[in-house]
Amino acid sequence: MPYTAAASTIVAQMLALPEFARVQALFPEAGLDEAMLLEIVGGAADIAEGVIAPFDTHADRTGCRLDQGRVTLAPGHHAAWAAFVEGDGQPSKARRNGAARGCR
């Protein structure tokens, strides 16, 4: 199941937790409701699908190396991370900044 499709299911399960109402009561100023949870979990799902998943297969095939105490990551790893950081963690910005470029 794609991550974005699972987001609403994850949020529904979170809302059904007996302790969730207690968390909401402890931090009312946070505005932690279904809409906010969907935004948080949906954003994480977008990043997983749009930035991480396109890089996974390449990274798994290439792997990383440990040479004299230094780890060398798969080519494209630094570009994916930089795109994520430049996009302030926002999936659409990370994709526009080329997070998966050269990772296939």
Side-chain angles (χ1 to χ4, degrees):
M1 173 186 309
Y3 296 105
T4 52
S8 60
T9 301
I10 292 168
V11 169
Q13 291 171 344
M14 291 172 74
L15 292 170
L17 291 170
E19 291 297 311
F20 188 75
R22 182 172 176 261
V23 171
Q24 286 177 305
L26 285 172
F27 306 100
E29 70 283 354
L32 191 57
D33 59 6
E34 184 174 3
M36 181 181 281
L37 287 176
L38 280 170
E39 188 173 332
I40 293 167
V41 175
D46 285 347
I47 291 168
E49 282 185 4
V51 177
I52 298 169
F55 180 67
D56 273 352
T57 302
H58 167 73
D60 287 345
R61 286 187 183 142
T62 304
C64 59
R65 295 187 330 263
L66 179 61
D67 184 27
Q68 297 180 356
R70 284 189 61 93
V71 175
T72 302
L73 302 171
H77 184 275
H78 294 289
W81 178 253
F84 172 74
V85 170
E86 289 170 13
D88 296 324
Q90 297 176 21
S92 59
K93 286 185 181 178
R95 280 195 293 270
R96 277 197 309 270
N97 289 337
R101 192 178 308 138
C103 299
R104 293 186 177 93

